[in-house]
Amino acid sequence: DQQVKQNSPSLSVQEGRISILNCDYTNSMFDYFLWYKKYPAEGPTFLISISSIKDKNEDGRFTVFLNKSAKHLSLHIVPSQPGDSAVYFCAAIENSGYALNFGKGTSLLVTP
Amino acid sequence: DTGVSQDPRHKITKRGQNVTFRCDPISEHNRLYWYRQTLGQGPEFLTYFQNEAQLEKSRLLSDRFSAERPKGSFSTLEIQRTEQGDSAMYLCASSLEGGSEAFFGQGTRLTVV
C-alpha cells in the first residue's frame, strides 16, 4: 500500500521558470517530510525537509510547502536550472519512526 | 570523503550464488539503514541498526536476506541463493539517533543472471 504518492512521473520546465513537484500522503501519523534528489546510478541526496508543525521551509532556490489538512506537500524550485534535472523523491516518516516511506519519484527535466 | 560509502558499486552474479555488500556510514552516525530500489519505484526500507543492535528486520524480503553490524560501525547485507528478482539497487543510509534526515550512499547495483 503506497502511503506516499507522487502522481506525476515526469515534468518538463524551461530554465529560469518555476518547477513545482507535488506529493500526497495517506498516513496521518507522518509528521516529518523530506525531499531527495537522485541522479542516475547514484544514491538519493537529501535536499530539504519540513516538520508537520510548519507549513513552509525555504533553502535558497528550494521551498517546500506543507498542507496538513489536505495531506499534500510540494517542492518549488525557483529559478530552475538544467543541473536540477534529476528524479525527485518525496519521503515521509512517523514521529519516533525509523523508516522513510518514499513515493515513486518525479523525473524533472529542465531545458535550456 | 566523509559520506556514506558502499562497496561494490556493481555486482553481477549467477542465480543461486551468495552475495555480500558492505556499507560504511558517516562516522558519527549511530543509525544505519538498508533500502532496496527497483526500477520505477522509490527506495523500500529493509532493516536498520542502532549501533550494533538490529532493531527492525521484519521487512527484510525473505529469510535469504540478512544483515549485520558487528561493531556498530560498518554493516554488511548478505543475500543467499540469489534469484533474478533480487536484481535491484541496494542502498545504505545513516543518520544520527533521532535524526530524520538519512544520508544515502551511492548504492550497489546487483544484477542476477
Side-chain angles (χ1 to χ4, degrees):
Chain A
D1 181 29
Q2 195 81 18
Q3 299 184 77
V4 177
K5 299 178 183 180
Q6 295 177 256
N7 293 319
S8 298
S10 63
L11 176 67
S12 183
V13 171
Q14 270 193 317
E15 182 179 6
R17 307 293 286 266
I18 184 171
S19 295
I20 300 176
L21 295 94
N22 293 304
C23 177
D24 297 290
Y25 62 96
T26 57
N27 185 346
S28 58
M29 299 301 291
F30 289 151
D31 74 340
Y32 200 79
F33 305 89
L34 307 91
W35 285 93
Y36 284 83
K37 175 180 178 180
K38 187 180 184 300
Y39 294 116
E42 300 287 334
T45 301
F46 170 71
L47 197 56
I48 192 169
S49 61
I50 188 166
S51 164
S52 60
I53 62 173
K54 295 185 176 181
D55 56 15
K56 177 182 174 182
N57 189 26
E58 194 171 352
D59 183 2
R61 297 185 297 114
F62 302 91
T63 303
V64 57
F65 296 92
L66 175 63
N67 182 335
K68 279 191 67 178
S69 60
K71 294 191 176 69
H72 177 84
L73 62 156
S74 60
L75 174 68
H76 292 210
I77 307 174
V78 182
S80 301
Q81 299 173 353
D84 296 330
S85 298
V87 177
Y88 289 79
F89 290 98
C90 173
I93 190 168
E94 295 182 15
N95 185 25
S96 301
Y98 46 82
L100 289 170
N101 296 269
F102 283 87
K104 292 186 177 184
T106 296
S107 179
L108 173 66
L109 176 65
V110 180
T111 57
Chain B
D1 186 353
T2 57
V4 178
S5 177
Q6 292 188 246
D7 183 69
R9 291 289 307 277
H10 304 276
K11 178 71 176 178
I12 300 174
T13 191
K14 291 185 178 179
R15 191 174 51 189
Q17 298 294 304
N18 299 345
V19 293
T20 300
F21 310 139
R22 177 181 169 123
C23 172
D24 288 89
I26 294 171
S27 57
E28 60 266 30
H29 287 180
N30 56 0
R31 284 192 174 181
L32 185 149
Y33 312 83
W34 285 98
Y35 286 79
R36 184 181 81 154
Q37 186 178 15
T38 55
L39 196 62
Q41 303 294 318
E44 173 190 12
F45 172 82
L46 297 177
T47 186
Y48 96 104
F49 294 83
Q50 183 156 307
N51 300 312
E52 66 274 12
Q54 190 174 15
L55 298 185
E56 172 58 62
K57 58 181 180 180
S58 67
R59 287 159 74 171
L60 285 168
L61 299 162
S62 79
D63 59 6
R64 298 183 295 106
F65 287 70
S66 63
E68 292 184 342
R69 194 183 183 196
K71 296 182 180 179
S73 56
F74 74 91
S75 175
T76 57
L77 177 70
E78 181 181 18
I79 309 173
Q80 295 183 328
R81 305 181 303 282
T82 52
E83 301 173 357
Q84 285 189 320
D86 296 334
S87 296
M89 173 78 87
Y90 290 85
L91 295 162
C92 176
S94 68
S95 75
L96 293 168
E97 181 177 349
S100 296
E101 288 89 1
F103 295 85
F104 284 82
Q106 293 183 308
T108 294
R109 167 73 65 189
L110 173 66
T111 302
V112 182
V113 297

